[in-house]
Amino acid sequence: MSHNIIYLLDDEAGMLDLLADVVELAGLRARGYTCARRFFEEVTAFESGTILVLDLLMPGMDGIEVMRRLAEMDQAPALILISGHDIGVLHAAEKLGRAQKLEILDSLAKPVSLGLFRSILEKYAGNDTSEDQSESRAAIRKPGAAQLRQAIHDGQLVLHYQPQVEMKTGTLAGVEALVRWQHPDQGLIYPGGFIPLAEQKGLMGELSHWVVGEVVRQEQLWRESGLLISVSANISAENIASLTLPEYLSQLLADNQLDPTRLTLEVTESALMGELVTSLDILTRLRLKGMGLSIDDFGTGYSSLSQLHRIPFTELKIDLGFVSNMTADTEARAIVKTCILLGHELNMKVVAEGVEDQHTWDLLTGLGCDVAQGYFIAKPMPAAEVLKWIRSH
Ligand code: C2E
Ligand code: MG
Ligand code: MG
């Protein structure tokens, strides 16, 4: 039963009543609070599967503060965010929550469409009050850690590669390896559906070892067919806390006669928030061994300029949220422009990800961006299609 409690936190009592009605219409139980402090006094622990609908703008403790407190708890509820601000605030809050390892199911702008709210509830909570059934349904929808560990070792993971092109010449700069899970029952699962789980359960070491092993194997196949392709691979916070990673990788590359400068490791800006001393050590050694280092999703984390300067990054990847909005949103465009200037000033190659149309491409060219990646150029594709794609270009 507890699976179906939906907590509602919104300072407007009228809004709370409306939301509670929808929750009940969906066959679930609602418990509403108009004050965050009261909420934390009364609810001190959450069972897994609990959902909290959270209004961001509240007097006193606001939604961002609530998220910070939840992130410190052993078990946090999954969140549906609501805000009367513009969509940018909601997106920023979503990112902030995810950086704190909270599960954000969806976000809704006020005035909230009640139909949409109900369909979100039905999607994530179901309208069934029997614990057994809701658990088995959750198990189908959400693979667990044991299943994921097995998938890593049973070869159920695959890499897709997305081309990155030099903006000046249109030539291939490299490809980014993006992991997918070819699930036997559920089909292709994207990283959003299992990377957070892997991070939570300490599986990123195993997963990343598989990824780099596969990248090296693929790189060799491409070499045999006459192509030298640089590859970028993503690594997580857990990896940059592993002191043996630099040696492991450089040995792997040496064993396969692969030039380390052909491999770039992408670390998200938010992964750098953790233990900086250890990660600084590891990142510096990766760089000393010749690998490229890219700061991914730049603009969404909290790295300070001095921090950026201390870590020997070779590449800066502007977050796709800014890039894909830059044609419509002058603020996003200003951020992109500043990121390009900053990257160049610090001698980094600047990559824009999420380039979806010609207009964005043109603006980026005008701003002097070095490399572009995005659906406008190509979607991520299986390794076998990469050669075909290159030939047809
Ligand atoms: P990322 O490294 O920032 O990768 C870019 C994401 O943007 C990819 O999503 C890609 O498919 C998507 N994308 C590319 N071009 C466009 C575009 O033009 N428009 C839009 N809307 N999206 C575009 P994907 O493959 O779902 O990966 C999501 C994230 O999962 C990655 O973000 C990365 O942080 C993480 N990830 C993927 N593979 C791995 C991995 O092997 N290890 C780790 N640690 N993380 C991974
Ligand atoms: Mg990346
Ligand atoms: Mg990114």
Side-chain angles (χ1 to χ4, degrees):
M1 291 281 275
S2 56
H3 281 262
N4 297 313
I5 292 189
I6 311 289
Y7 290 106
L8 306 166
L9 185 50
D10 190 318
D11 60 300
E12 287 173 61
M15 184 68 194
L16 210 54
D17 288 343
L18 269 177
L19 294 175
D21 286 346
V22 178
V23 169
E24 263 140 41
L25 272 173
L28 304 158
R29 286 188 297 142
R31 203 169 292 166
Y33 294 84
T34 50
C35 163
R37 275 179 221 294
R38 264 295 288 293
F39 172 67
F40 281 113
E41 273 161 23
E42 283 187 24
V43 189
T44 51
F46 300 92
E47 289 190 34
S48 94
T50 308
I51 292 176
L52 168 66
V53 180
L54 176 63
D55 180 24
L56 291 176
L57 187 67
M58 296 182 291
M61 194 190 294
D62 64 33
I64 302 294
E65 229 178 312
V66 169
M67 286 204 286
R68 197 183 312 133
R69 295 224 4 201
L70 292 172
E72 287 165 2
M73 299 176 75
D74 290 337
Q75 171 88 54
L79 298 174
I80 297 172
L81 304 179
I82 296 189
S83 169
H85 276 287
D86 55 69
I87 208 80
V89 172
L90 268 176
H91 287 164
E94 273 184 33
K95 294 244 171 185
L96 194 62
R98 292 200 174 107
Q100 294 171 303
K101 304 273 182 292
L102 293 170
E103 186 182 0
I104 315 287
L105 300 176
D106 219 320
S107 54
L108 290 162
K110 277 185 183 177
V112 172
S113 147
L114 297 179
L116 184 60
F117 178 52
R118 179 167 177 178
S119 66
I120 292 169
L121 284 176
E122 283 170 352
K123 177 166 168 204
Y124 292 105
N127 56 0
D128 196 315
T129 45
S130 130
E131 172 126 34
D132 281 358
Q133 284 191 29
S134 60
E135 267 195 339
S136 63
R137 204 182 18 234
I140 292 171
R141 218 183 311 116
K142 266 199 157 183
Q147 236 193 329
L148 177 56
R149 176 173 287 128
Q150 202 179 351
I152 299 173
H153 298 286
D154 288 358
Q156 288 177 24
L157 299 186
V158 286
L159 291 181
H160 282 186
Y161 298 87
Q162 187 175 33
Q164 305 177 319
V165 300
E166 301 282 353
M167 300 200 76
K168 277 206 190 97
T169 57
T171 52
L172 188 76
V175 293
E176 177 176 8
L178 296 157
V179 70
R180 279 97 181 82
W181 178 356
Q182 188 65 63
H183 194 282
D185 314 318
Q186 294 175 44
L188 200 64
I189 309 181
Y190 285 84
F194 61 95
I195 295 279
L197 175 73
E199 286 179 332
Q200 240 173 26
K201 303 290 181 187
L203 291 175
M204 280 319 294
E206 284 166 68
L207 193 144
S208 297
H209 277 191
W210 179 83
V211 169
V212 290
E214 178 63 15
V215 161
V216 166
R217 195 187 66 82
Q218 186 55 54
E219 173 67 43
Q220 212 159 20
L221 290 176
W222 282 329
R223 233 184 313 160
E224 281 162 18
S225 53
L227 273 171
L228 286 178
I229 302 180
S230 298
V231 185
S232 297
N234 296 280
I235 56 173
S236 289
E238 189 184 327
N239 304 125
I240 56 170
S242 155
L243 287 163
T244 52
L245 182 75
E247 282 67 35
Y248 174 83
L249 281 177
S250 75
Q251 193 60 50
L252 180 73
L253 297 175
D255 290 347
N256 292 278
Q257 288 98 44
L258 185 69
D259 178 358
T261 60
R262 296 221 161 271
L263 178 66
T264 295
L265 299 166
E266 298 190 1
V267 186
T268 61
E269 196 189 8
S270 55
L272 294 170
M273 285 195 303
E275 281 177 67
L276 196 66
V277 185
T278 326
S279 51
L280 190 60
D281 164 321
I282 292 154
L283 292 168
T284 307
R285 283 190 294 134
L286 287 170
R287 185 69 203 106
L288 282 172
K289 292 177 188 304
M291 285 161 258
L293 281 183
S294 174
I295 181 161
D296 202 353
D297 299 350
F298 187 76
T300 62
Y302 312 89
S303 51
S304 66
L305 290 178
S306 64
Q307 201 171 318
L308 260 187
H309 193 61
R310 262 198 302 165
I311 303 174
F313 285 109
T314 51
E315 180 182 285
L316 184 154
K317 281 187 99 166
I318 311 169
D319 187 63
L320 90 176
F322 302 119
V323 176
S324 60
N325 283 324
M326 70 184 287
T327 53
D329 176 345
T330 52
E331 269 172 45
R333 194 183 304 186
I335 291 171
V336 170
K337 183 177 170 187
T338 311
C339 290
I340 295 172
L341 287 171
L342 176 68
H344 285 164
E345 208 51 47
L346 295 175
N347 285 320
M348 293 190 255
K349 177 163 95 177
V350 180
V351 181
E353 59 182 349
V355 180
E356 292 184 351
D357 52 39
Q358 180 77 51
H359 189 188
T360 309
W361 172 283
D362 294 341
L363 287 175
L364 287 165
T365 311
L367 293 172
C369 185
D370 304 299
V371 173
Q373 174 182 352
Y375 298 164
F376 178 60
I377 299 134
K379 291 201 168 176
M381 57 187 96
E385 284 172 32
V386 173
L387 287 183
K388 271 188 265 166
W389 186 86
I390 294 174
R391 293 211 181 95
S392 69
H393 269 68

